[in-house]
Amino acid sequence: MRSLVDAPKIREFMRALGSCLRAQTRVYLVGGVSAVLEGWRPSTVDLDLKIVPDEEVFGELSRLKEQLNVNIELAAPDQFIPPLPGWEARSTFVTREGQVDFYHFDFYSQALAKIERGFERDLGDVREMVRRSLIEPVRALELFEAVESQLIRYPAIDPPSFRRAVEDVFAGGC
């Protein structure tokens, strides 16, 4: 069992990854990592990441996972729901370490993926994103509608149920 990951451990991971990668790389922080760095959770179980490009990184991730005693998952909202238009431009810059730029994966994408999952902790994260003005409910609904026709490509998703869940969370302004 690996230890929980807090903000100092996340920053240690970012410094370590930045010191070993030589190519220009973007790392998108996802889920609990964003929640911890933004300050509404003290820790998370996994370092959820999306890495672009990812060619050079796999060996380093394996090494850092052992060295830092952390769980690392390559998981991002665009694996579970259609990519939202403009997600890259909305991804918030966190820091640069060496040749690596770290960003929070677009909070709208994170919120919609969390709503689709439907776990209470995830819904709490969405409420916190709204409370901290990281997302706006009206814009979240617009972005959902922009990709709703693409949900057919994600067989695990029941589009009418997902729509109801999004409306339940955002229709009342959260």
Side-chain angles (χ1 to χ4, degrees):
M1 174 88 175
R2 300 200 185 271
S3 60
L4 291 176
V5 182
D6 60 9
K9 183 69 83 168
I10 293 168
R11 286 190 283 279
E12 180 182 4
F13 166 78
M14 291 188 298
R15 282 190 303 274
L17 187 62
S19 73
C20 63
L21 295 184
R22 300 293 170 240
Q24 187 77 16
T25 306
R26 282 183 155 217
V27 175
Y28 295 93
L29 309 172
V30 181
V33 179
S34 290
V36 170
L37 289 179
E38 287 295 311
W40 74 80
R41 276 205 229 158
S43 63
T44 186
V45 174
D46 299 315
L47 290 171
D48 290 334
L49 313 167
K50 177 182 178 89
I51 302 173
V52 180
D54 61 7
E55 291 86 21
E56 179 187 352
V57 75
F58 293 113
E60 297 301 336
L61 290 180
S62 181
R63 184 182 63 76
L64 290 174
K65 178 179 173 179
E66 296 305 319
Q67 178 184 324
L68 300 175
N69 191 35
V70 296
N71 291 319
I72 298 173
E73 298 288 332
L74 298 179
D78 62 354
Q79 294 175 309
F80 305 103
I81 63 170
L84 301 183
W87 74 266
E88 288 175 292
R90 284 189 309 275
S91 294
T92 310
F93 180 76
V94 176
T95 193
R96 180 178 181 92
E97 296 287 347
Q99 293 297 308
V100 183
D101 290 323
F102 292 88
Y103 293 83
H104 289 296
F105 199 103
D106 169 42
F107 284 108
Y108 287 98
S109 297
Q110 289 194 55
L112 290 174
K114 285 175 175 290
I115 292 168
E116 197 285 318
R117 284 173 38 134
F119 297 123
E120 186 52 44
R121 183 174 202 166
D122 289 330
L123 298 176
D125 286 344
V126 174
R127 288 188 291 273
E128 195 61 34
M129 289 178 203
V130 171
R131 191 181 79 70
R132 291 171 180 259
S133 300
L134 298 170
I135 60 172
E136 298 173 1
V138 171
R139 183 67 178 134
L141 280 166
E142 291 170 354
L143 288 167
F144 171 78
E145 290 170 353
V147 298
E148 189 172 15
S149 65
Q150 298 170 39
L151 293 175
I152 196 165
R153 296 180 178 172
Y154 294 76
I157 296 175
D158 176 56
S161 297
F162 188 18
R163 173 174 262 292
R164 277 192 302 277
V166 170
E167 289 173 345
D168 287 349
V169 171
F170 291 127
C174 213

